[in-house]
Amino acid sequence: MTTKRNNTTHNEVVVEHVLTSDAFLTREIKKAPMKTTGDSLIADLTHLPNDLKITIQGAREHNLKNVDLEFPRNRMVVFTGLSGSGKSSLAFDTLFAEGQRRYVESLSAYARQFLGQMDKPDVDFIEGLSPAVSIDQKTTNRNPRSTVGTITEIYDYLRLLFARTGIPHCPECGALVSAQTPQQMVDTLLKYPERTRFQILAPVVRGRKGEFEDLLELLRGDGYARALIDGEMRQLSDDIKLAKQKKHTIEVVVDRLVVKDGIRQRLTDSIETALKLSKGVVVADFVDLDEKDPDRRKPFSEKRACPNGHQLELDEIEPRTFSFNAPYGACPECTGIGYKLEIDPELVIPDPDKTLNENAIEPWGMTKGTGEYYRHVLEGLGDEMGFDLDTPWKDLPKDARDAIMYGRDFKVQVSYRNRWGRMREYSTGFEGVVRTLMRRHDETDSDQMKQYYESYMREVPCQACHGRRLRPEVLAVTVDDESIADVCDMSAERSLAWINGLELEGSAAQIAGEVVKEIRARLGFLNDVGLNYLTLSRAAKTLSGGEAQRVCVARAILKNAPILVLDEATAFADPENEYKMQQALQSLIKGKTVIIIAHRLSSIVSADNIVVLQQGRIVQQGRHDDLSVAEGLYKNMWDAYTSAYHWKLNKN
């Protein structure tokens, strides 16, 4: 930076060159002398100010041998070396562990009790380490609920965007949902047959954690006698204790009424009271209907209602409303997964030319163990339905195949001779292969057995949401005529074009300004690293190794943590995407310290500082330009890499 000042003594202008901290650090790193200690060649960074470097003294985690290290902050630092040299021990088990411990200690005592105490790594001293450290591993979460959108946190910002600027529509007729007046609510309820009994409920708490002692005391003081708490009618005069860590729903009984002449005024007063108490939401509970009857509860909202009279179950539009991991927004049929697991008959019967005695039913092996039980049951079923176990599966009658696969409603008579030659007879129900496998899958607590049963299943898109994971009411909320599922089904390239072309007006533009900026940044990074073809709804478990790695790096880099520790950031990338990744990393590390464990020389050379480890010791440290010409391990690695590269070029 250049500044000018006036010299008052001689009346002349003096030009001063003032370096920024970044430029100063760059200059000091370049002029750092190389120091030889024993057989080690280390860049001497002792002249750097303490606030511009991280200092480690006496690191002894795992195979580290009392390692001392200084490296610059706000730069890309690479730890390299052979397998077992101590790279991960230094980066993760020392630096990350200490950074995580400091972060936890910076939290309140209340927060720390849920995280537990973290052990201090075996190190004498670490200076210059920020308490917030972001770590990313090679693989993504294999949870079926995990998607590209949730991993990169783009979906979290989309939820916020749709909650604050989305326009609700009726999922049945598509009409714009508008506010409902108390008078309209009264008119609707008075249309019910005479003598219909109902109670007016005010939902003051909906799915929130807490004990709510103050709220319950306030309700008692206001004269309310009853409340529906977690589906159970409770007297407010009782001593009510709610679990602090569980989600609760509290609906106050404002009034109990019967449809008849002369109740309009009372009903109007009750509804207005309930609306005020619950901030715009009222539920009419028809007590004579069964609790499982869909018409038992009729919600009303002062904020939104269909003009054509279609009932809406969307009481509020909040970020959690658009989450498929919460019951308020998730499809009730598939619970937000988007698909169901069903037994595939072709996997159960892989070879229809086989007979039942030849193990045509693969999960019911007829050779030993439980196979004998199934053989006796099938023989009894065959006697009743007239088929033989030596008949090929494809030649069995259709009703016999259906009975075997899906079961029969009547008892099957089983008779057989035991090992001592005695005849045994009994009757048993027969639920069929499909029902048996599904029941055992649902009942088992063993992950191994679940995987075994799932090997005979296939994923079938949910018939209710068609794989979109959300309720119809949620999918009917749009921004620029697109639902949140529509945006997630777009490729990253199309999603970026959509968000760039989004034109919001008035307060919506002001509210969504920062949210749109974050979405742009994250989608832009996905495009920059060659993932422009991925959709945000793509399940994490379907990603390849290279795709998963780049998605994870995107998540880590876009966090605001001052220090990032990455393991093999470009391990699975092809040369083209590796270059894109390096460019993206270089553009986003400004103001951040990025520590990368790497083996690829193509990734290492772009680092500002290279640390070479061997057998738990640091043997070399410095810039690529210095280490590549000095005798030692790094030069050997570089010479081997360049030789192989030139050989490949000459061969081609």
Side-chain angles (χ1 to χ4, degrees):
M1 181 174 67
T2 302
T3 61
K4 295 181 179 180
R5 65 177 176 88
N6 293 324
N7 191 323
T8 55
T9 306
H10 301 286
N11 197 25
E12 58 185 12
V13 178
V14 179
V15 179
E16 294 182 338
H17 296 281
V18 182
L19 294 176
T20 62
S21 62
D22 188 71
F24 172 78
L25 183 59
T26 301
R27 187 190 70 181
E28 294 301 306
I29 292 174
K30 287 182 178 180
K31 72 178 190 180
M34 302 300 292
K35 181 174 66 175
T36 302
T37 306
D39 57 349
S40 301
L41 182 65
I42 308 294
D44 189 358
L45 300 176
T46 55
H47 64 288
L48 285 181
N50 290 336
D51 61 335
L52 294 179
K53 65 182 178 182
I54 294 175
T55 303
I56 302 173
Q57 293 180 3
R60 294 176 295 274
E61 275 295 322
H62 303 309
N63 63 333
L64 295 177
K65 299 175 181 177
N66 213 38
V67 168
D68 296 337
L69 175 64
E70 290 183 332
F71 58 90
R73 288 174 60 94
N74 304 332
R75 288 292 186 272
M76 183 185 294
V77 182
V78 168
F79 291 179
T80 188
L82 302 176
S83 297
S85 59
K87 303 183 298 297
S88 297
S89 298
L90 185 57
F92 291 110
D93 301 326
T94 303
L95 278 169
F96 169 68
E98 178 63 12
Q100 192 180 45
R101 188 186 69 84
R102 292 185 183 184
Y103 174 72
V104 171
E105 287 188 351
S106 69
L107 301 175
S108 65
Y110 176 77
R112 290 200 303 271
Q113 70 177 327
F114 301 106
L115 298 174
Q117 186 174 357
M118 307 200 70
D119 295 331
K120 187 179 186 302
D122 191 4
V123 61
D124 293 337
F125 175 78
I126 298 181
E127 186 182 36
L129 184 64
S130 301
V133 178
S134 175
I135 179 176
D136 206 86
Q137 296 287 0
K138 297 179 183 179
T139 56
T140 58
N141 190 351
R142 314 307 286 183
N143 190 307
R145 297 183 178 276
S146 184
T147 66
V148 172
T150 59
I151 294 172
T152 57
E153 299 178 358
I154 296 174
Y155 192 75
D156 295 332
Y157 286 99
L158 283 175
R159 291 197 291 123
L160 189 59
L161 175 67
F162 274 79
R164 298 293 177 254
T165 65
I167 300 173
H169 298 80
C170 175
E172 293 191 34
C173 62
L176 187 67
V177 173
S178 57
Q180 201 172 18
T181 65
Q183 195 59 49
Q184 289 173 322
M185 301 176 194
V186 171
D187 292 339
T188 301
L189 290 173
L190 291 179
K191 290 179 181 178
Y192 279 81
E194 197 166 332
R195 309 307 300 174
T196 299
R197 298 195 305 159
F198 64 94
Q199 55 188 2
I200 301 297
L201 305 178
V204 293
V205 175
R206 296 179 67 88
R208 290 193 287 119
K209 294 180 181 179
E211 297 177 326
F212 304 103
E213 292 180 353
D214 294 340
L215 174 62
L216 294 173
E217 190 61 36
L218 182 63
L219 293 173
R220 294 188 191 102
D222 290 342
Y224 296 102
R226 291 173 291 273
L228 204 62
I229 301 177
D230 299 333
E232 181 185 355
M233 186 61 70
R234 304 285 296 275
Q235 296 289 329
L236 292 177
S237 58
D238 297 340
D239 185 18
I240 301 174
K241 299 292 184 181
L242 300 179
K244 189 176 184 178
Q245 298 304 318
K246 291 185 177 181
K247 293 182 178 180
H248 302 287
T249 297
I250 302 175
E251 297 172 316
V252 181
V253 179
V254 177
D255 202 355
R256 292 180 166 183
L257 296 161
V258 179
V259 178
K260 62 181 180 180
D261 293 336
I263 69 162
R264 175 177 288 275
Q265 186 58 50
R266 178 179 171 179
L267 178 58
T268 303
D269 293 341
S270 299
I271 286 180
E272 289 178 347
T273 302
L275 289 171
K276 185 178 180 180
L277 190 63
S278 61
K279 298 180 180 179
V281 179
V282 173
V283 176
D285 182 24
F286 297 91
V287 295
D288 292 330
L289 297 178
D290 187 84
E291 291 184 358
K292 296 181 180 180
D293 194 318
D295 297 325
R296 167 72 185 254
R297 295 165 60 89
K298 184 174 180 62
F300 297 94
S301 176
E302 199 176 26
K303 300 175 182 178
R304 51 191 72 85
C306 175
N308 298 320
H310 294 124
Q311 184 172 336
L312 301 178
E313 297 186 5
L314 190 62
D315 297 330
E316 59 182 2
I317 298 182
E318 296 292 333
R320 69 173 184 174
T321 307
F322 298 90
S323 173
F324 44 75
N325 295 322
Y328 313 101
C331 170
E333 292 295 323
C334 63
T335 64
I337 296 180
Y339 63 86
K340 290 184 175 182
L341 288 173
E342 294 184 358
I343 299 295
D344 188 349
E346 293 184 358
L347 297 176
V348 175
I349 314 289
D351 187 359
D353 291 325
K354 287 185 176 181
T355 67
L356 294 175
N357 276 329
E358 294 173 338
N359 296 335
I361 306 174
E362 188 174 282
W364 283 6
M366 299 291 189
T367 54
K368 57 183 178 179
T370 58
E372 286 298 318
Y373 166 77
Y374 291 124
R375 184 196 300 274
H376 298 151
V377 173
L378 288 173
E379 286 176 349
L381 184 65
D383 292 339
E384 291 192 23
M385 300 190 68
F387 65 85
D388 189 81
L389 271 63
D390 292 319
T391 304
W393 175 263
K394 65 179 182 181
D395 296 331
L396 289 174
K398 186 177 182 305
D399 60 338
R401 295 199 304 267
D402 290 343
I404 294 171
M405 294 299 293
Y406 304 104
R408 295 291 298 267
D409 295 331
F410 56 83
K411 297 285 185 179
V412 176
Q413 299 297 322
V414 179
S415 60
Y416 68 100
R417 290 189 182 276
N418 61 18
R419 68 179 69 180
W420 295 282
R422 298 175 182 173
M423 185 63 71
R424 292 286 183 262
E425 294 184 357
Y426 65 91
S427 64
T428 181
F430 185 69
E431 60 184 348
V433 182
V434 171
R435 294 178 183 175
T436 300
L437 294 177
M438 288 297 298
R439 175 177 56 79
R440 292 185 174 181
H441 173 269
D442 295 337
E443 292 177 353
T444 184
D445 294 326
S446 169
D447 292 337
Q448 183 178 358
M449 292 307 300
K450 276 188 178 294
Q451 291 180 3
Y452 170 73
Y453 295 129
E454 288 174 3
S455 66
Y456 297 102
M457 297 179 181
R458 58 185 175 91
E459 295 178 359
V460 180
C462 174
Q463 296 299 311
C465 66
H466 304 288
R468 313 192 87 184
R469 300 174 178 249
L470 297 168
R471 293 176 178 270
E473 295 87 354
V474 180
L475 295 172
V477 180
T478 63
V479 174
D480 195 23
D481 297 328
E482 302 286 354
S483 71
I484 193 170
D486 293 333
V487 177
C488 290
D489 288 340
M490 299 177 185
S491 64
E493 187 175 12
R494 282 188 59 205
S495 298
L496 182 60
W498 177 81
I499 200 71
N500 286 333
L502 187 62
E503 295 182 359
L504 300 173
E505 298 179 353
S507 61
Q510 187 175 358
I511 293 171
E514 291 299 320
V515 177
V516 170
K517 187 187 297 183
E518 289 290 340
I519 296 173
R520 273 200 198 106
R522 283 163 167 75
L523 286 173
F525 189 89
L526 288 181
N527 282 270
D528 291 342
V529 298
L531 297 176
N532 57 306
Y533 59 90
L534 284 184
T535 63
L536 299 180
S537 58
R538 175 85 171 267
K541 64 180 182 179
T542 65
L543 297 174
S544 67
E547 291 170 338
Q549 183 70 7
R550 282 177 281 165
V551 168
C552 286
V553 171
R555 176 183 63 183
I557 290 295
L558 289 166
K559 289 182 178 291
N560 293 321
I563 298 180
L564 301 176
V565 184
L566 305 175
D567 190 1
E568 297 285 0
T570 61
F572 295 95
D574 52 68
E576 181 181 354
N577 288 321
E578 182 182 11
Y579 176 76
K580 290 180 179 179
M581 183 77 79
Q582 291 173 1
Q583 294 296 311
L585 286 172
Q586 290 289 350
S587 65
L588 290 172
I589 63 172
K590 295 178 181 178
K592 299 178 181 178
T593 304
V594 180
I595 301 169
I596 301 176
I597 295 176
H599 291 90
R600 286 187 175 184
L601 268 295
S602 54
S603 303
I604 296 172
V605 296
S606 60
D608 300 289
N609 195 263
I610 301 169
V611 180
V612 184
L613 290 98
Q614 188 175 27
Q615 297 179 354
R617 296 173 51 250
I618 296 175
V619 295
Q620 288 181 306
Q621 182 203 355
R623 298 184 308 126
H624 167 75
D625 293 343
D626 297 326
L627 298 181
S628 61
V629 296
E631 293 297 326
L633 179 60
Y634 186 83
K635 185 177 185 298
N636 296 337
M637 295 165 60
W638 178 247
D639 290 343
Y641 172 76
T642 52
S643 298
Y645 180 75
H646 290 305
W647 178 83
K648 187 177 180 180
L649 286 180
N650 294 331
K651 183 180 179 182
N652 294 335

